[in-house]
Amino acid sequence: MGQNHPLQSCSRRTKGGSVMDANYMTLAVFALICLLLLTLPFIPAFREWRYPSDVAALPVSANYTSDIEHFSRRLNADVAAKLGRGPATGFEDFEFVDFPVESMQWQKAHKRLIAQQSIDTQASIKTASQLYVDGDLKSGVDSAFSSLYATGDVALGSDSAIRDWAHANGVLRIGDNGTALRRVSAGIAIEIGREVWFERLQAPTLSFGLQPRQPWQPGQVVQTPASYADLPNAVRQTNSLYLVRGDCALPSGKIYQGSLVVTGFLTVGQDTTVIGDIKARFGASIARRASVEGAITCEKRIYVFKDARAFGPIVSESDVLIGTRAVIGLPDAMTTVTANNIIIEEGATVHGAVWAHEIGMVKAE
């Protein structure tokens, strides 16, 4: 009485072993499923490694490169490959422009376009396709281009637009009331008319306004040497650097050597020359016929009045206004003007690049 029968004990052991086997089987299946799930994300990478399919270069938007000539170099390389003048790029799919161009159906082009000779027409050209011109391009009023490259000069009539980028190996000219969005560059010069809106321009010479203006030549006014140490609230920082707390005004007809930092607003007087860099927190005004042979940096607005000169760069976190016949940079020492908004009067000249992060415009004097 009270003792288990041997057959009953054996039965219980057999039942317990079956339960444990079932648990092990469940755990094994669960582990296998987890392993498969962990492996799945690596299968596409393994397949791409064994059998590459995505070997093409990724497209780069015009908004995401700081290299102003990036797209023109890419298009030039693709055209060279198409015409058998360079190595293959994988992007040689083009159509050819029909001549005479007046009969060309520009709007029906679905591929990038190649013109194997110069284009000279008074007609309006409007195309959403990238255009490569082996030679010069001249078009009439109200022309519009998405992207444009010319091995020679480009001359667009008034009210014309560049919506993405453009480059000319020679001179690029845009008539009055035009639009030059994104990046526009040239190997020799860019000339843009009044009321032209722009974002980023780069060339050895940028001429604003299509009527040439003879800039004022320095050296026509007698100047006397002066020292920053004589300015109110001036503090000497180094042998060539002074700090002025608050606003500061440099008198007219002086020459200052060295750099200057101003915590307020800085005024460089008429006919005064600063041989050095200037930095002002609340803005700067470069008066008529004044010259800054160095950089100008401000948090606020910078005024460069007519006939003034600056070696540059000119950098503002706000606005830059440049007057007629003002000259920024030198032909052999190009520089940069950059600000949120840039307004330039016709007759001004910049050697280098002008970059308006928001709005750039050429206005009448």
Side-chain angles (χ1 to χ4, degrees), residues 6 21 23 32 36 49 76 89 97 99 147 149 152 178 248 290 361:
D21 291 342
N23 290 338
L32 181 61
L36 289 174
W49 172 60
N76 192 39
T89 63
V97 173
F99 286 87
S147 306
Y149 183 104
C248 176
M361 190 189 74

Side-chain angles (χ1 to χ4, degrees), residues 60-63 65 67-79 94 112 129-133 144-150 154 156 161-169 172 174 179-186 200:
V60 180
S61 168
N63 297 322
T65 175
D67 182 359
I68 196 168
E69 296 181 351
H70 171 81
F71 300 101
S72 59
R73 287 198 305 268
R74 287 292 304 273
L75 178 60
N76 192 39
D78 294 342
V79 170
F94 286 89
R112 294 182 292 176
S129 301
Q130 290 187 353
L131 174 62
Y132 176 96
V133 181
F145 300 89
S146 170
S147 306
L148 171 64
Y149 183 104
V154 170
L156 307 183
I162 296 170
R163 297 194 172 93
D164 200 348
W165 63 264
H167 177 82
N169 288 349
L172 191 149
I174 303 175
T179 304
L181 297 181
R182 302 295 185 263
R183 291 152 170 79
V184 177
S185 58
R200 187 174 182 184

Side-chain angles (χ1 to χ4, degrees), residues 10-218:
C10 181
S11 177
R12 284 197 298 270
R13 286 196 297 269
T14 302
K15 185 181 293 185
S18 299
V19 172
M20 292 182 65
D21 291 342
N23 290 338
Y24 283 130
M25 182 62 68
T26 301
L27 291 173
V29 172
F30 178 74
L32 181 61
I33 293 174
C34 290
L35 182 62
L36 289 174
L37 291 175
L38 290 173
T39 305
L40 285 176
F42 297 97
I43 292 176
F46 177 77
R47 292 174 59 186
E48 183 65 27
W49 172 60
R50 291 301 305 272
Y51 309 103
S53 61
D54 188 16
V55 296
L58 292 174
V60 180
S61 168
N63 297 322
Y64 299 115
T65 175
S66 59
D67 182 359
I68 196 168
E69 296 181 351
H70 171 81
F71 300 101
S72 59
R73 287 198 305 268
R74 287 292 304 273
L75 178 60
N76 192 39
D78 294 342
V79 170
K82 173 68 175 181
L83 300 179
R85 302 173 185 171
T89 63
F91 298 92
E92 296 93 351
D93 197 11
F94 286 89
E95 296 178 0
F96 290 93
V97 173
D98 297 328
F99 286 87
V101 295
E102 288 78 8
S103 61
M104 173 74 181
Q105 295 182 326
W106 296 96
Q107 300 294 342
K108 293 186 177 182
H110 299 293
K111 300 178 181 179
R112 294 182 292 176
L113 297 169
I114 297 176
Q116 294 185 280
Q117 65 187 65
S118 296
I119 296 175
D120 187 350
T121 179
Q122 296 298 319
S124 170
I125 297 177
K126 293 185 178 182
T127 176
S129 301
Q130 290 187 353
L131 174 62
Y132 176 96
V133 181
D134 193 359
D136 300 333
L137 168 64
K138 182 178 180 180
S139 67
V141 300
D142 198 30
S143 295
F145 300 89
S146 170
S147 306
L148 171 64
Y149 183 104
T151 61
D153 298 334
V154 170
L156 307 183
S158 59
D159 298 292
S160 295
I162 296 170
R163 297 194 172 93
D164 200 348
W165 63 264
H167 177 82
N169 288 349
V171 177
L172 191 149
R173 183 183 178 99
I174 303 175
D176 295 342
N177 303 301
T179 304
L181 297 181
R182 302 295 185 263
R183 291 152 170 79
V184 177
S185 58
I188 297 177
I190 294 176
E191 302 172 354
I192 57 178
R194 290 178 294 180
E195 303 299 326
V196 171
W197 298 84
F198 63 85
E199 289 188 35
R200 187 174 182 184
L201 310 172
Q202 180 173 305
T205 299
L206 303 173
S207 298
F208 298 89
L210 300 179
Q211 299 299 321
R213 305 286 185 90
Q214 185 64 33
W216 175 79
Q217 297 299 321

